[in-house]
């Protein structure tokens, strides 16, 4: 009994599937008479001299003269040739999965009023008309004017649905290998950042970026500053807003009087000695983005509004180093420490060892009163100190601990920590104050020193 029920269910399933297949075939207007994947149109892109297409009521026409694509309706428009070539590549081999021959009524396929029409000239003119999508989707009807209707993939027509601004050749942003200088001009004033190696402008040559103001230089955090430079060196256009904006049209983009003018000087390769310059102007914001142009250009673009924010609101304090001390301990020959009434002096020597093969190894060691001492914990603690705040007018109180780092190849460094508040101490670096550091971290540093020299 169960076996008969299973056979009955299977038979009914076959009937339903067969009926559905017949119904789909009955409802579809096409009749399959051709072979699967038949090539119905082919045109070498190299031979094409003119391409036009009409989509959603807009017709765009492009011509090729002396291997250069132009837009004859406006000589100011610069054509993105690679986009045109991509379109033409889709026509080099058009394949159809089905052919409906001798069609009398094109309206059945939406070809009496095509969704898109493509005209290609290559010695002769060919017209491709796209109609409705099929009832099953994924394909649509195509006419090439030979009386037949073909089924092709819907991705073929999608290559010709671009608007004019999708096909504009946007200006290239230069390749910037090394940024060396950045000037920002805004309504609130001017900013100048400069890159200087081995400049002597700071106690450490690890600092290479400086904020220049009235011939005074302030060392900046390298990573933070280069992140700012990346806003220009890695800049990309989101879109072209106007491919030819005349002077009287710049106001609508806020570019008649730019909110920010950014000029970066740079090298375009590691081996180049030439100093190049690139200037970008920023206008008003629109939908979270910002209008921009290359200085003097007639083309207007949109860029990420966050990039505009970074340039427009650049402040020195946001670029200052986070570390309290930046030093290469291998370059320090001696460290003098004053803690209360006690004074300690560490001296560095180079210990040379030779292995069985005669290879020498040089290792820096630290000595206190002629005996080797482990100083890395102390130096690591100094390296780890970070800025907890800034007070330009802060006044020093009681001295807590003082370090003098002697260097044979550079000036000595004096680092003093003063009591300031219950939570913060004031830092004096070579006589300059204004930086605060956690009181707890200095307390731990003092305990470290005490344990180090009382063991």
């Amino acid at each position: 009994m169960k076996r008969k029920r299973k056979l009955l269910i299977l038979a009914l399933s076959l009937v339903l599937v067969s009926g559905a297949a017949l119904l789909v075939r009955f409802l579809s207007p096409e009749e399959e008479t051709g072979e699967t994947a038949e090539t119905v149109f082919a045109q070498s892109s190299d031979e094409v001299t003119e391409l036009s297409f009409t989509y959603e009521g807009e017709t765009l026409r492009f011509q090729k003269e002396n291997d250069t694509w132009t837009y004859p309706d406006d000589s100011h428009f610069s054509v993105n040739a690679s986009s045109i070539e991509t379109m033409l590549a889709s026509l080099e081999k058009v394949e159809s999965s089905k052919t409906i021959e001798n069609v009398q009524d094109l309206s059945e396929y939406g070809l009496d009023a095509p969704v898109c029409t493509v005209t290609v000239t290559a010695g002769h003119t060919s017209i491709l008309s796209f109609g409705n999508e099929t009832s099953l989707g994924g394909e649509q009807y195509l006419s090439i004017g030979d009386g037949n209707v073909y089924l092709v993939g819907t991705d073929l027509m999608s290559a010709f649905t671009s608007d004019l601004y999708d096909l504009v050749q946007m200006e290239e942003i230069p390749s910037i290998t090394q940024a060396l200088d950045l000037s920002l001009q805004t309504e609130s004033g001017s900013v100048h950042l400069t890159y200087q190696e081995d400049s002597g402008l700071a106690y450490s040559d690890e600092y290479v970026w400086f904020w220049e103001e009235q011939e005074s230089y302030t060392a900046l955090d390298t990573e933070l500053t280069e992140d700012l430079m990346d806003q220009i060196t890695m800049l990309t256009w989101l879109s072209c807003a106007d491919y030819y904006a005349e002077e009287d049209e710049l106001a609508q983009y806020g570019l008649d009087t730019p909110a920010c003018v950014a000029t970066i000087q740079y090298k375009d390769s590691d081996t180049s000695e030439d100093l190049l310059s690139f200037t970008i102007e920023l206008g008003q914001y629109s939908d979270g983005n910002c209008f921009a142009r290359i200085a003097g250009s007639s083309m207007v673009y949109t860029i990420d509004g966050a990039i505009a924010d970074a340039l427009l609101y650049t402040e020195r304090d946001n670029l200052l180093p986070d570390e309290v001390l930046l030093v290469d301990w291998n370059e320090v020959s001696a460290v003098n420490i004053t803690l209360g009434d006690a004074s300690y002096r560490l001296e560095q020597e180079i210990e040379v060892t030779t292995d069985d093969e005669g290879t020498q190894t040089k290792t820096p060691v630290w000595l206190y009163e002629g005996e080797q001492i482990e100083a890395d914990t102390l130096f690591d603690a100094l390296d780890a100190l970070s800025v907890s705040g800034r007070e330009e007018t802060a006044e020093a109180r009681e001295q807590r601990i003082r370090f003098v780092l002697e260097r044979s190849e550079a000036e000595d460094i004096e680092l003093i920590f003063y009591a300031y508040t219950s939570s913060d101490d004031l830092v004096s670096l070579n006589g300059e104050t204004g930086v605060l550091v956690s009181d707890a971290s200095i307390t731990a540093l003092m305990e470290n020193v005490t344990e180090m020299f009382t063991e």
Side-chain angles (χ1 to χ4, degrees):
M1 187 66 180
K2 290 182 179 179
R3 175 179 174 82
K4 289 182 179 180
R5 179 178 294 178
K6 289 181 179 179
L7 290 174
L8 179 59
I9 291 173
L10 179 60
L12 289 173
S13 298
L14 290 173
V15 169
L16 289 173
V17 171
S18 300
L22 288 172
L23 181 60
V24 169
R25 187 175 182 85
F26 176 76
L27 293 176
S28 300
E30 65 270 14
E31 178 183 350
E32 182 178 357
T33 60
E35 297 180 0
T36 301
E38 175 189 6
T39 300
V40 297
F41 182 83
Q43 176 58 65
S44 172
S45 58
D46 294 337
E47 299 173 353
V48 178
T49 57
E50 184 170 323
L51 170 68
S52 67
F53 53 92
T54 301
Y55 178 70
E56 293 187 342
E58 181 183 17
T59 298
L60 299 177
R61 182 170 63 95
F62 303 93
Q63 293 178 337
K64 185 165 69 172
E65 299 176 0
N66 299 322
D67 293 327
T68 300
W69 283 100
T70 63
Y71 179 59
D73 288 352
D74 191 339
S75 60
H76 296 118
F77 185 87
S78 180
V79 180
N80 186 333
S82 63
S83 295
I84 301 297
E85 294 299 332
T86 298
M87 290 180 175
L88 293 176
S90 67
L91 300 179
E92 293 201 342
K93 186 177 182 181
V94 177
E95 295 183 334
S96 170
S97 61
K98 294 181 182 180
T99 301
I100 307 168
E101 297 181 344
N102 303 318
V103 174
Q104 301 300 315
D105 186 2
L106 292 175
S107 64
E108 291 187 49
Y109 309 97
L111 288 165
D112 55 330
V115 178
C116 177
T117 301
V118 179
T119 303
V120 184
T121 300
H124 62 282
T125 298
S126 301
I127 300 176
L128 292 80
S129 300
F130 295 86
N132 297 334
E133 288 192 28
T134 63
S135 57
L136 295 179
E139 292 185 309
Q140 70 186 124
Y141 302 112
L142 170 71
S143 169
I144 58 174
D146 61 357
N148 298 331
V149 171
Y150 303 97
L151 265 69
V152 296
T154 54
D155 57 338
L156 177 60
M157 190 193 81
S158 65
F160 300 94
T161 58
S162 302
D163 65 22
L164 184 61
Y165 276 85
D166 292 328
L167 304 174
V168 67
Q169 178 61 58
M170 294 188 280
E171 296 163 299
E172 289 188 7
I173 297 170
S175 173
I176 300 176
T177 300
Q178 174 62 64
L180 298 174
D181 191 279
L182 175 64
S183 296
L184 302 173
Q185 188 67 47
T186 67
E187 294 179 356
S188 58
S190 60
V191 170
H192 184 211
L193 282 67
T194 180
Y195 181 90
Q196 303 284 342
E197 290 185 350
D198 303 323
S199 63
L201 296 173
Y203 71 90
S204 172
D205 285 338
E206 294 292 319
Y207 294 114
V208 292
W209 279 105
F210 297 88
W211 183 286
E212 183 182 1
E213 188 172 10
Q214 298 179 350
E215 298 184 358
S216 176
Y217 296 86
T218 302
L220 302 177
D221 183 276
T222 300
E223 184 176 351
L224 292 176
T225 306
E226 291 187 348
D227 284 346
L228 175 64
M229 296 298 162
D230 287 346
Q231 305 304 311
I232 297 180
T233 61
M234 301 180 69
L235 179 68
T236 57
W237 308 127
L238 295 181
S239 65
C240 178
D242 196 328
Y243 64 82
Y244 186 72
E246 300 189 57
E247 287 298 318
D248 60 353
E249 297 175 315
L250 292 176
Q252 62 184 299
Y253 305 108
L255 289 167
D256 53 335
T257 54
C260 178
V261 178
T263 300
I264 190 167
Q265 293 184 321
Y266 66 96
K267 291 181 179 180
D268 60 355
S269 69
D270 293 329
T271 58
S272 173
E273 294 298 325
D274 296 333
L275 192 61
L276 305 175
S277 180
F278 174 65
T279 300
I280 183 174
E281 298 174 351
L282 306 182
Q284 64 192 26
Y285 289 80
S286 175
D287 297 328
N289 298 320
C290 181
F291 293 116
R293 71 166 181 164
I294 298 174
S297 172
S298 297
M299 300 188 75
V300 177
Y301 306 95
T302 58
I303 64 171
D304 189 333
I307 294 175
D309 289 344
L311 296 174
L312 191 58
Y313 303 110
T314 297
E315 295 182 1
R316 188 198 68 166
D317 287 0
N318 294 333
L319 300 174
L320 293 176
D322 184 57
E323 68 274 353
V324 171
L325 178 69
L326 180 63
V327 66
D328 182 349
W329 292 102
N330 290 325
E331 297 177 354
V332 177
S333 58
V335 178
N336 299 287
I337 306 171
T338 302
L339 177 57
D341 296 330
S343 296
Y344 311 97
R345 178 177 173 82
L346 298 173
E347 295 181 334
Q348 183 179 186
E349 287 189 358
I350 302 300
E351 185 179 78
V352 180
T353 58
T354 305
D355 62 18
D356 295 339
E357 298 178 355
T359 302
Q360 289 188 338
T361 301
K362 296 181 179 181
T363 305
V365 296
W366 289 91
L367 305 177
Y368 172 60
E369 295 182 345
E371 299 292 331
Q372 186 170 334
I373 191 171
E374 177 58 52
D376 287 346
T377 302
L378 172 62
F379 299 155
D380 289 345
L382 284 167
D383 288 339
L385 293 176
S386 61
V387 176
S388 62
R390 301 184 189 276
E391 292 287 348
E392 297 293 339
T393 59
E395 295 183 2
R397 297 179 183 175
E398 178 186 357
Q399 176 179 306
R400 304 196 68 196
I401 189 168
R402 175 177 179 264
F403 297 86
V404 176
L405 282 57
E406 298 178 11
R407 298 184 294 179
S408 56
E409 301 297 329
E411 293 184 1
D412 294 350
I413 300 173
E414 181 186 57
L415 181 64
I416 307 175
F417 299 96
Y418 295 96
Y420 183 62
T421 68
S422 60
S423 59
D424 294 304
D425 289 349
L426 180 65
V427 180
S428 172
L429 182 62
N430 289 342
E432 295 186 6
T433 58
V435 169
L436 302 180
V437 66
S438 163
D439 176 84
S441 64
I442 301 306
T443 298
L445 183 67
M446 294 167 64
E447 292 173 352
N448 185 309
V449 170
T450 300
E451 293 175 3
M452 180 176 175
F453 293 105
T454 56
E455 289 181 351

